[in-house]
Amino acid sequence: MWSKQRSRYADCNGSEASEETEIVVNIGGVKQVLYGDVLSRFPDTRLAELAELAERSLKPPEEISALCDDYDSDTGEFYFDRDPEAFKCIIELYYYGEIHMKRGICPICFMKEMEFWKIGADLLDDCCKGALQEVEDELAEIAEKVRTILVDREGDPSAGGWQRFQACLWRLMEKPDSSLPAHVIAIVSFIFILVSSVVMCVGTIPDLQVEDSEGNLSEHPTLEVIETVCIGWFTVEYLLRLVSSPDKVKFALAFMNVVDFMAIMPFFVVLVLTSFGAGVMELANVQQAVQALRIMRIARIFKLARHSSGLQTLTSALKSSFKELGLLLMYMGVGVFLFSALGYTMEQNHPDTLFTSIPQSFWWAVITMTTVGYGDVYPKTTLGRCNAAISFLCGVIAIALPIHPIINNFVLFYNKQQVLETAAKHEIELMALRSGHGGHGGDREAGASAPGLRQHACGAGIWDNAMHSCHSDTYIPLLKDPKGGSQGIQTPSVETSFESTAEAAEYFNS
C-alpha cells in the first residue's frame, strides 16, 4: 500500500500542514491519505472540490458521483478508476507547485489524466512540455501519412473527369504503394536507371568502343541504342509526371525533378547539335560543351533516391546535421591553414623542399589530416615530420568528434520513419477492420479479449479494467481542421477516430 506520511510535506511557507481534514482516496487500488488544506491550494481542481465536499457532514450522492467513481460511507474512502502511477505525479502539484511526468508515462495519456483532475497544462513543467510536443508532432505526422494514403486510395469523389484521370496518373507514376501497376512501374524505372548507369560506365571502356571514319573512338552502336531506349523511358516518365502534377511550378523546382531533367537534357542537346551538321560539331567550344553534357549524365544516379527510403533518410539526416557538418568544416579549415603554414615555414630552407608556398601546402595538409597521404608532397626535415605527425592526430580527432551526432541523427530519422510508416499502415488496417465488423463494436470485443495490462508505445501502462477513461467515450482527434477545429480521419463509410485511450493504446501496441 502506498501512502504519504503527514510530516513529510510542508506548505509553500515552510510550515507543516494542519490535520483538520483527512481525505482517504483509492486510486486504481492504491490508497492514500490527503489533507484538505493542502488540496485547497489549487481550488479549481477536482481534488480541491473533493476536499470541500468531504468537510460537509451531509454529502449528496449526485455531487459524489460527479467527483468520483464510488464512495464508501463506512470507511470514508473515495474511489477513482484512474492510473495510480500518473496520480503520483498529479499529487506533486499540491506539495511542490508544479508537475513533472515520470519517465515511461505516455504524454498524451498523462494530459488526459490532468484534464480529468481539472489541472491546466500551464502547470506542467517546461521540460515535460517538450516531450508532449514531440508526441503531438509524431501523431500529426502519422495523421498526415494516413490522409495521404486515403487520398491515394480513394481520390476526390467531387473531382471531374480530367481531374480524376490526372490524379490516377499521378498515383500511378508517383505513388508506388498505391497499386500493383504503380509498384511495377517503379520497379521498371529502377531497372532502367541501373541499366543506363551501367551502359554509361561500360561505354568508356576502350575495348568496347569503335572507331569512326576519322579514327576517333566512340561508343558502341549497341550501347547507343540501349542509351536511347533508356532516355526515351526517362522522357516519357518525366512528361507524364509533369502533366499529372497538381502543381506544375512546384514540380519543376523540386530537387529530384531537377535531377531528372538534368539526366535527360544532355541527350537532346547533343542530338540537336548533331543535327546541325559536322561543321558545327567540329568547333572546339561545341565539342567541349558536348563533353560536359555527356558528363552530366552521371546525375541520373541520383534518381535512385526516389525509390530508396534509406537514401531519403540519409538526406534528411544530413539536413538536420548542418551544425555538426559546419563544425567539422571549421575544424578542418583551421587545421589546414595552421599546419600548412607551419609545414611551409619548417620546409622552406630545405634545398629539395616540396612546399613552395602556403597555398600549395594546403593540399598536403588536407590529405594528411584526412589520413589519405598520397605521397606526392611530404616533409623532409625533422621538424616538418613532427608537424605532419601532429596534424595527422589532430585530423583524426577533428573528424571523429562530429561524426557521432551525425550517426545518431541518421538512426533517429530512420527509426522514426519506420515507426511512422508502420503506424500509418496499422491505422489503415484498423479502419478496414472496423469497416468489416460494421462499426466499433467488433473492436471493443477484440480489445476485451486482450490481456488486462499492456504496455503503451511510449512506455505507459494501460489498464483495461482500472482506468475510467478507457471506458468513457473519449475522442482523440488525429487531424486538425484547417479552420482551427479538430476532426477525426474519416472516409465515406468508416469513422477512424479512437473512442477510448484503450483503443489508441491497442493500435500503437499492434
Side-chain angles (χ1 to χ4, degrees), residues 55-362:
E55 292 178 355
R56 305 178 191 175
S57 57
L58 180 61
K59 302 177 178 61
E62 60 274 6
E63 294 188 14
I64 294 177
S65 60
L67 291 177
C68 62
D69 295 321
D70 199 1
Y71 173 71
D72 189 347
S73 57
D74 297 333
T75 60
E77 287 187 18
F78 295 91
Y79 291 92
F80 292 89
D81 217 3
R82 309 301 300 184
D83 181 5
E85 293 297 324
F87 186 75
K88 292 181 181 180
C89 304
I90 296 293
I91 199 61
E92 289 182 355
L93 171 68
Y94 300 92
Y95 294 103
Y96 306 124
E98 60 183 6
I99 298 180
H100 288 270
M101 286 187 298
K102 293 185 177 179
R103 188 181 300 275
I105 296 180
C106 171
I108 300 298
C109 295
F110 189 77
M111 290 303 298
K112 292 296 179 181
E113 289 292 310
M114 291 180 61
E115 182 180 352
F116 173 81
W117 296 108
K118 299 181 180 181
I119 298 175
D122 57 321
L123 296 174
L124 191 64
D125 193 73
D126 292 338
C127 63
C128 301
K129 289 180 181 178
L132 175 63
Q133 185 63 40
E134 290 179 2
V135 175
E136 289 179 345
D137 293 342
E138 184 175 337
L139 288 178
E141 292 182 20
I142 294 175
E144 184 62 29
K145 284 186 174 291
V146 172
R147 185 196 297 274
T148 302
I149 294 176
L150 291 178
V151 171
D152 292 341
R153 291 187 177 184
E154 304 296 334
D156 188 2
S158 61
W162 166 250
Q163 293 178 342
R164 290 183 185 178
F165 173 78
Q166 189 178 18
C168 180
L169 184 61
W170 175 256
R171 291 194 299 268
L172 188 66
M173 303 303 300
E174 195 72 15
K175 307 291 184 179
D177 296 332
S178 61
S179 63
L180 180 60
H183 188 67
V184 172
I185 290 178
I187 295 176
V188 172
S189 179
F190 183 81
I191 294 175
F192 270 105
I193 294 172
L194 292 180
V195 170
S196 64
S197 301
V198 171
V199 167
M200 182 186 66
C201 297
V202 172
T204 61
I205 300 177
D207 295 339
L208 298 180
Q209 294 178 338
V210 295
E211 293 185 358
D212 55 13
S213 58
E214 299 179 358
N216 298 323
L217 293 178
S218 60
E219 290 187 359
H220 196 280
T222 303
L223 297 181
E224 289 184 353
V225 171
I226 298 176
E227 174 74 9
T228 303
V229 173
C230 293
I231 290 297
W233 170 265
F234 296 149
T235 304
V236 172
E237 180 188 30
Y238 181 83
L239 293 177
L240 289 178
R241 291 172 56 239
L242 178 61
V243 170
S244 61
S245 173
D247 190 344
K248 303 295 190 296
V249 176
K250 183 179 179 181
F251 175 87
L253 297 180
F255 174 75
M256 292 307 303
N257 297 328
V258 172
V259 170
D260 293 343
F261 180 77
M262 297 299 293
I264 61 178
M265 184 265 295
F267 176 84
F268 293 101
V269 173
V270 173
L271 189 63
V272 171
L273 293 177
T274 305
S275 64
F276 288 151
V280 176
M281 294 298 295
E282 289 177 358
L283 297 177
N285 294 335
V286 175
Q287 292 179 355
Q288 293 178 359
V290 170
Q291 186 65 23
L293 291 174
R294 288 184 178 274
I295 294 176
M296 288 175 58
R297 293 184 300 173
I298 62 177
R300 68 187 59 173
I301 197 65
F302 292 105
K303 291 168 62 70
L304 292 176
R306 184 185 305 280
H307 308 283
S308 174
S309 60
L311 291 177
Q312 296 174 4
T313 304
L314 178 61
T315 304
S316 301
L318 292 178
K319 287 181 180 178
S320 65
S321 304
F322 278 154
K323 183 178 180 180
E324 290 79 6
L325 292 174
L327 191 64
L328 173 60
L329 294 178
M330 185 189 69
Y331 286 161
M332 294 299 298
V334 171
V336 166
F337 182 83
L338 175 63
F339 292 112
S340 61
L342 291 176
Y344 170 74
T345 303
M346 296 173 181
E347 293 288 322
Q348 64 178 343
N349 294 327
H350 194 279
D352 298 328
T353 181
L354 299 175
F355 295 78
T356 57
S357 65
I358 292 180
Q360 187 271 341
S361 303
F362 286 170

Side-chain angles (χ1 to χ4, degrees), residues 463-497:
W463 285 259
D464 286 343
N465 299 320
M467 289 185 66
H468 175 73
S469 62
C470 294
H471 300 283
S472 63
D473 293 332
T474 305
Y475 177 79
I476 303 179
L478 289 182
L479 290 181
K480 291 186 177 180
D481 195 338
K483 298 181 179 180
S486 297
Q487 62 179 4
I489 308 172
Q490 296 184 354
T491 60
S493 60
V494 183
E495 183 181 355
T496 61
S497 58

